[in-house]
């Protein structure tokens, strides 16, 4: 196959294939600041918590668990999710924060997941766990990637884990040994090979959602705040989640638009 990609694109692609993810530090964090400030405004309004002073945003989010009743956590999360997904500027800034790396890895004619997800994982909470899984096993297309954005610094059990490609290949070859197990048993069998993601606010994680990944109980002393959204090439195959239902085109180019709407002239 002919490859006309630039050196930077090739390096990024090779890293993505080898590690199953890339972490990009953003030069311009204005879009991220919009996302974080919007989340904080919603927290203050929905949870009735005083808005933090400037430069206290990270402390406010990290210590969120000290200001709420655990039983209300999922209710708050759903209300915040509904609010941010009604804000088209939120979606636009989410895309803008990830745009460059998505263009390099996926292409510049993109479909975006219609709803952005928010994860709030307070210390010791067992109700917000995402057990080991691969999105493709549950019907997602292998042509998708996930843009995962932290609102606070994430590390160790405050972050997520992923099984690197070289170990997944071994699982894939002997999948019958794993497929009958529960997610917890599956996790125990691959635990020694998983990689914990360390990522700070101001950075973007894009990962291969076909690789097994998940999280465990947050054993750190801070609350984790992260968002995730899937992106794919508009014209690549879709899984169970279709365009117009789960995905919407966001960067359709004019040549494609003309081509889609073109009709051959009729001869009478």
């Amino acid at each position: 196959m002919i490859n006309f990609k630039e050196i930077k694109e090739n390096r990024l692609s090779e890293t993505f294939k080898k590690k199953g993810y890339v972490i990009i530090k953003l030069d311009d964090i204005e879009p991220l600041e919009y996302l974080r400030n919007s989340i904080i405004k919603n927290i203050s309004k929905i949870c009735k918590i005083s808005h933090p002073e400037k430069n206290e945003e990270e402390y406010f989010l990290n210590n969120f668990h000290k200001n709420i009743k655990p039983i209300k956590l999922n209710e708050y999360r759903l209300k915040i999710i509904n609010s941010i997904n009604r804000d088209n500027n939120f979606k636009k800034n989410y895309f803008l924060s990830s745009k460059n790396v998505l263009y390099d890895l996926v292409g510049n004619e993109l479909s975006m997941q219609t709803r952005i997800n928010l994860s709030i994982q307070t210390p010791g909470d067992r109700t917000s766990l995402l057990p080991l899984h691969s999105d493709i096993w549950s019907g997602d297309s292998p042509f998708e990637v996930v843009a995962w954005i932290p609102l606070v610094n994430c590390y160790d059990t405050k972050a997520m884990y992923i099984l690197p490609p070289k170990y997944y290949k071994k699982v894939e070859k002997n999948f019958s040994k794993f497929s009958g197990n529960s997610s917890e048993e599956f996790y125990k069998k691959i635990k020694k090979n998983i990689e914990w993601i360390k990522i700070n606010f101001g950075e973007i994680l894009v990962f291969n959602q076909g690789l097994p990944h998940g999280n465990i109980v947050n054993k750190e002393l801070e609350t984790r705040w992260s968002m995730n959204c899937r992106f794919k090439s508009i014209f690549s195959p879709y899984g169970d989640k279709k365009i117009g239902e789960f995905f919407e085109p966001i960067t359709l180019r004019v040549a494609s638009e003309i081509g889609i709407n073109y009709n051959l002239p009729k001869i009478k």
Side-chain angles (χ1 to χ4, degrees), residues 11-29:
R11 286 175 178 167
L12 195 67
S13 298
E14 288 304 312
T15 299
F16 190 78
K17 285 191 287 187
K18 182 178 179 180
K19 300 183 70 174
Y21 70 89
V22 293
I23 293 176
I24 304 297
K25 185 173 183 179
L26 301 184
D27 295 325
D28 177 15
I29 67 166

Side-chain angles (χ1 to χ4, degrees), residues 148-152 154 199-205 225-227:
W148 195 95
I149 300 179
L151 298 171
V152 291
C154 295
I199 183 170
N200 295 327
F201 176 70
E203 297 176 324
I204 299 288
L205 166 71
W225 291 82
S226 63
M227 301 172 294

Side-chain angles (χ1 to χ4, degrees), residues 30-67:
E30 187 174 338
L32 286 187
E33 289 177 334
Y34 179 93
L35 301 179
R36 187 163 74 168
N37 288 336
S38 178
I39 292 285
I40 288 174
K41 286 178 184 177
N42 275 287
I43 294 169
S44 297
K45 180 180 178 181
I46 292 168
C47 306
K48 296 180 172 55
I49 302 172
S50 297
H51 195 282
E53 299 292 332
K54 190 171 178 59
N55 299 322
E56 292 294 326
E57 293 90 353
E58 181 110 0
Y59 179 87
F60 175 84
L61 293 171
N62 277 329
N63 291 279
F64 172 74
H65 56 282
K66 298 177 181 178
N67 297 302

Side-chain angles (χ1 to χ4, degrees), residues 12-144:
L12 195 67
S13 298
E14 288 304 312
T15 299
F16 190 78
K17 285 191 287 187
K18 182 178 179 180
K19 300 183 70 174
Y21 70 89
V22 293
I23 293 176
I24 304 297
K25 185 173 183 179
L26 301 184
D27 295 325
D28 177 15
I29 67 166
E30 187 174 338
L32 286 187
E33 289 177 334
Y34 179 93
L35 301 179
R36 187 163 74 168
N37 288 336
S38 178
I39 292 285
I40 288 174
K41 286 178 184 177
N42 275 287
I43 294 169
S44 297
K45 180 180 178 181
I46 292 168
C47 306
K48 296 180 172 55
I49 302 172
S50 297
H51 195 282
E53 299 292 332
K54 190 171 178 59
N55 299 322
E56 292 294 326
E57 293 90 353
E58 181 110 0
Y59 179 87
F60 175 84
L61 293 171
N62 277 329
N63 291 279
F64 172 74
H65 56 282
K66 298 177 181 178
N67 297 302
I68 63 157
K69 294 179 180 179
I71 195 171
K72 300 282 260 181
L73 179 60
N74 196 50
E75 176 188 334
Y76 292 150
R77 187 180 72 87
L78 292 175
K79 285 182 177 179
I80 295 170
I81 287 175
N82 287 334
S83 179
I84 62 176
N85 280 290
R86 288 193 295 266
D87 179 3
N88 285 329
N89 282 327
F90 194 94
K91 293 180 181 179
K92 183 177 181 180
N93 278 280
Y94 199 104
F95 162 65
L96 290 175
S97 68
S98 316
K99 175 182 175 180
N100 291 339
V101 63
L102 290 172
Y103 276 13
D104 285 345
L105 293 176
V106 184
N108 65 6
E109 289 192 297
L110 296 171
S111 280
M112 180 180 184
Q113 185 177 321
T114 55
R115 284 180 66 81
I116 295 166
N117 291 318
L118 172 69
S119 175
I120 310 170
Q121 198 177 4
T122 57
D125 175 37
R126 294 183 174 275
T127 66
S128 304
L129 300 183
L130 191 62
L132 181 142
H133 67 287
S134 160
D135 295 1
I136 296 175
W137 298 345
S138 56
D140 283 272
S141 167
F143 291 84
E144 300 167 18

